[in-house]
């Protein structure tokens, strides 16, 4: 089984004690590729450094919406520079977040658009974080789509079927994380069942939100197999078939064929 974890934060402090072993365990679990995602300029630099360190790790660089108000002068310019670094395959994570009140929504919108524009300029997909801001995200994506084509994915999707449909209409991919496996999330599983096979991706969002049966533990890329197995069941596929489908989709989107 060959798996592709489209979203992890390998630079996080939670991995400091055993980062090498974490990547090794992922390999043993069949995870051939891991994307480590930047959330700040510093974090994006660390993502690029990790991609240079581990053959199977690639980087995505950007400023997560909760951090746009804390940016220092020159941080956006650092992202522009890092976006051309070796093994950078995407821009983000970007998006909108109304759950945490860390950054004014207008500032978040401004940087969401900047990330999309950068992704166009670099011909790389962008990675969208959306929390309690589905209508805002869809509206901004629809506005951007009218201006010029783009390609991107909704990370750790936990939205409504309507939001999923709107994103699919715009050509977006939909990535599911460990929350798909949580017992109470029947509605999310029903939404996942409706997503076309050629737009499905899997991720961990490690070290956060470990899937069942690892729930409550520190999440890590090896655990992506559990989310993949859940998705497989929803689509009447074997875990191996779903691994092949989602890996193919990820390689296509991130131009790693």
């Amino acid at each position: 089984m060959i798996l592709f974890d489209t979203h992890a934060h390998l630079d996080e402090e939670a991995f400091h004690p055993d980062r090498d072993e974490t990547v090794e365990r992922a390999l043993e679990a069949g995870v051939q590729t891991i994307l480590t995602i930047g959330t700040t300029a510093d974090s994006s630099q660390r993502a690029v450094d990790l991609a240079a360190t581990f053959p199977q790790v690639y980087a995505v660089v950007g400023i997560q919406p909760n951090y746009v108000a804390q940016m220092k002068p020159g941080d956006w310019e650092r992202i522009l520079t890092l976006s051309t670094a070796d093994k950078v395959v995407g821009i983000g994570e970007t998006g909108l977040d109304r759950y945490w009140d860390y950054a004014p929504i207008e500032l978040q919108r401004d940087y969401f658009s900047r990330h999309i524009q950068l992704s166009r300029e670099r011909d790389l997909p962008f990675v969208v974080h959306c929390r309690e801001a589905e209508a805002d995200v869809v509206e901004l994506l629809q506005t951007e789509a009218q201006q010029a084509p783009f390609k991107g994915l909704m990370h750790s999707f936990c939205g409504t079927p309507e939001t999923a449909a709107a994103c699919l209409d715009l050509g977006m991919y939909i990535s599911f994380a460990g929350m798909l496996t949580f017992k109470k999330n029947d509605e999310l599983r029903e939404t996942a069942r409706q997503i076309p096979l050629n737009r499905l991706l899997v991720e961990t969002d490690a070290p956060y939100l470990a899937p069942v049966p690892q729930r409550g533990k520190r999440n890590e890329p090896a655990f992506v197999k559990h989310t993949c197995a859940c998705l497989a069941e929803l689509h009447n596929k074997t875990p191996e078939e779903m691994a092949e489908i989602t890996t193919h989709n990820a390689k296509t989107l991130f131009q790693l064929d």
Side-chain angles (χ1 to χ4, degrees):
M1 182 159 35
I2 296 175
L3 292 151
F4 190 128
D5 182 359
T6 63
H7 200 109
H9 298 281
L10 289 178
D11 70 305
E12 293 264 345
E13 210 171 296
F15 292 118
H16 285 356
D18 63 343
R19 193 170 284 108
D20 291 13
E21 293 84 350
T22 298
V23 173
E24 192 55 44
R25 282 193 296 274
L27 274 176
E28 288 167 7
V31 184
Q32 195 179 61
T33 314
I34 304 165
L35 303 189
T36 190
I37 315 289
T39 54
T40 63
D42 288 346
S43 159
S44 294
Q45 178 64 63
R46 291 194 295 270
V48 169
D49 294 344
L50 286 165
T53 304
F54 298 102
Q56 62 275 41
V57 174
Y58 291 79
V60 174
V61 300
I63 313 277
Q64 205 255 20
N66 289 315
Y67 297 107
V68 293
Q70 299 162 30
M71 289 170 66
K72 298 186 288 291
D75 275 5
W76 181 244
E77 289 69 26
R78 288 175 68 193
I79 297 296
L80 298 180
T81 302
L82 286 169
S83 69
T84 63
D86 193 35
K87 292 182 75 183
V88 170
V89 296
I91 303 298
E93 61 186 274
T94 182
L96 300 173
D97 191 315
R98 285 188 180 273
Y99 178 80
W100 299 107
D101 192 21
Y102 292 147
I105 197 73
E106 283 311 317
L107 188 64
Q108 293 186 40
R109 281 198 186 101
D110 176 32
Y111 275 96
F112 192 3
S113 291
R114 289 193 199 202
H115 281 81
I116 294 172
Q117 184 53 35
L118 178 59
S119 84
R120 289 190 188 110
E121 289 168 8
R122 299 287 188 261
D123 189 31
L124 298 171
F126 58 91
V127 175
V128 178
H129 165 103
C130 174
R131 190 157 185 198
E132 295 192 4
E134 290 180 47
D136 306 83
V137 165
V138 167
E139 183 185 6
L140 191 144
L141 288 173
Q142 288 172 338
T143 302
E144 286 287 343
Q146 288 165 4
Q147 294 168 22
F150 59 54
K151 53 189 175 185
L153 73 89
M154 302 299 290
H155 123 76
S156 191
F157 189 81
C158 53
T160 64
E162 293 76 20
T163 298
C167 292
L168 290 168
D169 285 345
L170 295 167
M172 302 283 286
Y173 286 71
I174 310 289
S175 184
F176 290 97
M179 283 183 290
L180 187 72
T181 68
F182 293 0
K183 191 177 176 185
K184 68 177 193 306
N185 281 348
D186 290 327
E187 287 180 19
L188 183 59
R189 282 186 284 277
E190 195 46 50
T191 301
R193 200 194 305 274
Q194 308 303 323
I195 308 296
L197 290 172
N198 65 349
R199 300 286 190 84
L200 284 171
L201 302 168
V202 286
E203 62 170 273
T204 54
D205 203 12
Y208 309 106
L209 295 165
V212 175
Q214 306 291 346
R215 191 172 183 184
K217 297 181 184 175
R218 180 195 69 177
N219 202 0
E220 58 178 77
F223 297 168
V224 78
K225 65 184 179 186
H226 301 300
T227 303
C228 183
C230 178
L231 204 52
E233 195 176 320
L234 294 171
H235 282 269
N236 297 314
K237 300 286 181 188
T238 66
E240 290 75 16
E241 286 169 334
M242 187 54 75
E244 189 178 340
I245 288 164
T246 52
T247 296
H248 172 77
N249 292 344
K251 285 183 171 180
T252 301
L253 177 61
F254 290 100
Q255 301 170 81
L256 287 170
D257 275 341

